[in-house]
């Protein structure tokens, strides 16, 4: 005779750590993210879109110390930039540098001392990117995998007030890709997180072009991905605006933001 099914354990959701809605999960970061979204959906009773938004905001709040570090470190790099440029120019104009290794080592030691004096390191600027990129990729691959199958209720997981209800398919109106590109461009104009306001016009135009090209390239992504991406962009834009506020910077002890240099031949605006 077959054994009777186990009694319901108080109505709690039965979440197998290796199986979620029939999908076998391993130990990739994206698969842990699927578990987190599933837990928010089942245990907290959030709709799928709300679970994605809540986890996105929670992750960004948890990573705020990285943004704080990036802004402070960027300000220190900007403060030392004139001294570094003068030292580098002096080294380039010294005719003995190439023929005298000791002289070249002396300049290198001065540059290292300058970085130490300002408590700055160019490689530290990579730390936030190295942390944020795996999170972004985990959201992207995790949500795309959820949209591909195994979560039938996601076909009705969109907001009731929105034009999209099926999170597993692309937005036929293109509104989500366009909104995501627009908020990306907004973050570029606001300066992003720790971006140098003196970045070249060419670099900024490249980023703007990326925002435009993003629309056709991402149009086929499922709506679930855009629930994350759009929320993330809004958070980035809001955070950039807050971190640019002199009052907020003074309150949290951040150095004053470096001011953009006037373009040569164009008078500075007062």
């Amino acid at each position: 005779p077959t054994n009777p099914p186990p009694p319901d354990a108080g109505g709690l959701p039965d979440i197998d750590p290796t199986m979620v809605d029939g999908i076998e999960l391993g130990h990739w970061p994206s698969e842990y993210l699927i578990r987190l979204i599933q837990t928010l959906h089942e245990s907290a009773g959030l709709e799928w879109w709300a679970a994605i938004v809540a986890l996105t905001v929670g992750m960004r709040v948890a990573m705020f110390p990285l943004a704080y570090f990036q802004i402070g470190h960027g300000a220190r790099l900007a403060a030392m930039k004139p001294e570094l440029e003068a030292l580098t120019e002096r080294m380039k104009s010294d005719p003995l540098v190439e023929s005298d290794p000791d002289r070249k080592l002396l300049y290198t030691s001065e540059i290292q001392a300058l970085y130490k004096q300002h408590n700055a390191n160019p490689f530290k600027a990579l730390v936030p990117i190295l942390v944020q990129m795996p999170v972004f990729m985990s959201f992207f691959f995790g949500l795309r995998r959820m949209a591909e199958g195994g979560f039938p209720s996601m076909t009705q997981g969109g907001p009731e007030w929105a034009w999209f209800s099926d999170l597993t398919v692309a937005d036929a109106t293109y509104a989500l890709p366009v909104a995501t590109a627009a908020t990306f461009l907004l973050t570029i104009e606001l300066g992003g997180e720790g971006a140098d306001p003196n970045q070249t016009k060419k670099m900024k135009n490249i980023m703007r072009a990326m925002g435009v090209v993003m629309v056709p390239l991402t149009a086929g992504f499922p709506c679930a991905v855009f629930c994350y991406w759009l929320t993330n962009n809004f958070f980035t834009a809001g955070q950039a605006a807050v971190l640019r506020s002199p009052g907020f910077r003074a309150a949290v002890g951040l150095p004053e933001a470096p001011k953009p240099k006037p373009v040569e031949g164009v008078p500075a605006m007062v």
Side-chain angles (χ1 to χ4, degrees), residues 221-252:
F221 290 172
C223 293
V225 171
F226 287 109
C227 285
Y228 157 71
W229 206 344
L230 193 57
T231 302
N232 188 64
N233 284 0
F234 272 119
F235 193 100
T236 300
Q239 181 173 269
V242 169
L243 289 173
R244 288 180 61 182
S245 166
F248 180 83
R249 297 176 79 97
V252 299

Side-chain angles (χ1 to χ4, degrees), residues 133-155:
M133 186 55 67
V135 173
F136 175 85
M137 299 305 293
S138 296
F139 266 101
F140 175 76
F141 287 112
L143 291 170
R144 193 173 68 171
R145 184 176 179 186
M146 293 177 72
E148 287 173 350
F151 296 87
S153 60
M154 286 187 70
T155 59

Side-chain angles (χ1 to χ4, degrees), residues 13-25 35 38-39:
D14 182 17
I15 300 177
D16 187 330
T18 60
M19 296 288 292
V20 174
D21 277 15
I23 293 182
E24 185 175 357
L25 298 178
R35 293 183 179 97
Q38 171 75 359
T39 300

Side-chain angles (χ1 to χ4, degrees), residues 55 122 169 248 259 262:
L55 185 57
V169 299
F248 180 83
K259 294 179 173 58

